[in-house]
Amino acid sequence: MRRHILQISAVALFALSGAVPHAFAVSKEMVQLQTQVQQLQDMVQHLQTSNDERMGVIVNLVQQNTENVNRMMASVNALQTSLKTENEQRGTSNTQLSTQIQSLNDSVDELKTRIANLTTQMQSIQNQMQNVNGPPAQPGGVAPAPGAPPNPGGQAMAPQAPPVDQIYQGALRDYNSARYPVAASEFADVIHYYPQDPLAGNAQFYLGEIAFRQGQFAAAVKSYDAVLEQYSGNSKAPAAELRKGQSLIEMGQKDAGVRELRTLISRYPNTPEALEGRSKLNGMGVRISASKPSAYSTN
């Protein structure tokens, strides 16, 4: 009996000796897994902290640019008020003020696009944080954007154009730096990729401005016509009407240019462009309004 008990004890000890290494291996794997999980959590926390810092910087930049836009708009309004009080006969003064206003409007447009671009960056950062816990990328393809339709087969999608604000801001920067070929290409991209966006009308106007500055008046008229016909509600419409009239006069088409300036004054009577149009007509010795036939005229 005692011998039998000893045999059973020996078998049990042998079994335990084989199970201990296995249990130790499982415990080691658990420790490694816990370590990896902790590292991932630390990485996510670091990403969150980094993005919070970036978000704070961007918010501060947006606030600063918004203040700049407000100051710029105040300057524009002050110049417009000053322009309206000028004597219409002082054509030189009116032209200088109108040029300053146009320059300020260009700067305001650029600041607005910068603000929009910063807002886009903020949204991108927020999307990054949402995607931290989002689904993994599809095998063989790219991860779908939030709210995007499914991509069957995981095929890579065609690259998209940059955001409209980014293209437009770059175009304005190149335009103000007199890099006209580059700016013209970028403005054309805005119209091509985003034809329904309000900035497309602005881009069309600046294509006319580039042609006007280079003395290509026929091309300028074509671009200004596109603004007036396709983007009639755009804020650049009065300036397009003025520039079209000036271009026609430069081309030797005086009658057509005069008609355009009269149309400008009739459509947008209280704008700086209308005042400049009046000054131009006065300087040419042309009546502001077309002469009407007298009711007492005889054949």
Side-chain angles (χ1 to χ4, degrees), residues 43-55 129:
M43 291 173 62
V44 170
Q45 182 62 38
H46 177 72
L47 179 61
Q48 178 70 55
T49 302
S50 176
N51 281 330
D52 287 344
E53 294 174 353
R54 292 170 59 190
M55 186 73 72
M129 293 309 304

Side-chain angles (χ1 to χ4, degrees), residues 55-76:
M55 186 73 72
V57 172
I58 292 176
V59 169
N60 186 45
L61 288 174
V62 169
Q63 292 175 347
Q64 291 178 358
N65 279 286
T66 301
E67 293 174 357
N68 289 336
V69 168
N70 292 335
R71 286 196 295 268
M72 192 72 70
M73 288 304 300
S75 298
V76 170

Side-chain angles (χ1 to χ4, degrees), residues 127 131 135 138 142-151 157 160:
N127 291 338
N131 291 335
Q138 299 177 3
V142 295
N151 183 19
M157 296 185 180
Q160 295 182 347

Side-chain angles (χ1 to χ4, degrees), residues 173-207:
R173 186 164 51 248
D174 290 326
Y175 169 79
N176 289 326
S177 300
R179 292 191 289 266
Y180 296 135
V182 177
S185 176
E186 292 167 326
F187 283 129
D189 284 343
V190 172
I191 298 170
H192 175 72
Y193 291 110
Y194 303 95
Q196 304 303 320
D197 193 277
L199 290 177
N202 291 30
Q204 187 68 67
F205 170 77
Y206 283 115
L207 286 177

Side-chain angles (χ1 to χ4, degrees), residues 5-288:
I5 292 174
L6 290 173
Q7 289 177 346
I8 293 174
S9 299
V11 171
L13 288 173
F14 177 78
L16 288 173
S17 65
V20 169
H22 178 69
F24 177 77
V26 172
S27 177
K28 183 178 181 181
E29 291 177 357
M30 289 296 297
V31 171
Q32 291 177 346
L33 181 59
Q34 290 175 351
T35 301
Q36 292 175 357
V37 170
Q38 183 61 45
Q39 290 175 347
L40 286 174
Q41 291 176 344
D42 293 341
M43 291 173 62
V44 170
Q45 182 62 38
H46 177 72
L47 179 61
Q48 178 70 55
T49 302
S50 176
N51 281 330
D52 287 344
E53 294 174 353
R54 292 170 59 190
M55 186 73 72
V57 172
I58 292 176
V59 169
N60 186 45
L61 288 174
V62 169
Q63 292 175 347
Q64 291 178 358
N65 279 286
T66 301
E67 293 174 357
N68 289 336
V69 168
N70 292 335
R71 286 196 295 268
M72 192 72 70
M73 288 304 300
S75 298
V76 170
N77 292 334
L79 279 174
Q80 288 176 339
T81 301
S82 176
L83 185 58
K84 289 179 181 179
T85 59
E86 286 290 330
N87 190 315
E88 291 183 358
Q89 299 300 325
R90 299 176 60 186
T92 303
S93 177
N94 284 340
T95 300
Q96 290 175 347
L97 285 173
S98 180
T99 302
Q100 292 175 2
I101 288 175
Q102 182 60 48
S103 177
L104 285 172
N105 282 330
D106 294 343
S107 299
V108 169
D109 285 341
E110 185 171 357
L111 284 172
K112 286 181 179 178
T113 54
R114 286 183 179 180
I115 290 175
N117 193 34
L118 289 171
T119 303
T120 301
Q121 293 180 24
M122 292 173 62
Q123 183 62 46
S124 176
I125 293 174
Q126 292 174 348
N127 291 338
Q128 289 178 15
M129 293 309 304
Q130 292 176 357
N131 291 335
V132 169
N133 295 321
Q138 299 177 3
V142 295
N151 183 19
Q155 298 179 353
M157 296 185 180
Q160 295 182 347
V164 61
D165 296 324
Q166 180 178 336
I167 304 176
Y168 184 76
Q169 180 181 350
L172 267 182
R173 186 164 51 248
D174 290 326
Y175 169 79
N176 289 326
S177 300
R179 292 191 289 266
Y180 296 135
V182 177
S185 176
E186 292 167 326
F187 283 129
D189 284 343
V190 172
I191 298 170
H192 175 72
Y193 291 110
Y194 303 95
Q196 304 303 320
D197 193 277
L199 290 177
N202 291 30
Q204 187 68 67
F205 170 77
Y206 283 115
L207 286 177
E209 289 291 274
I210 291 172
F212 185 89
R213 292 188 177 190
Q214 294 178 327
Q216 301 171 0
F217 299 113
V221 168
K222 185 177 180 180
S223 290
Y224 296 138
D225 273 336
V227 175
L228 298 172
E229 294 171 5
Q230 301 176 27
Y231 309 97
S232 58
N234 190 274
S235 61
K236 299 295 185 183
E241 196 93 59
L242 171 65
R243 285 287 199 247
K244 180 183 176 183
Q246 292 174 333
S247 298
L248 290 170
I249 293 172
E250 292 291 340
M251 294 167 61
Q253 301 179 24
K254 178 180 176 181
D255 292 342
V258 168
R259 285 196 300 270
E260 207 66 39
L261 294 179
R262 285 172 174 167
T263 300
L264 163 67
I265 296 168
S266 175
R267 287 181 178 174
Y268 312 100
N270 298 320
T271 62
E273 291 80 9
L275 286 176
E276 186 172 347
R278 291 189 183 94
S279 296
K280 180 68 174 179
L281 293 177
N282 287 331
M284 296 169 60
V286 177
R287 293 171 58 90
I288 302 299

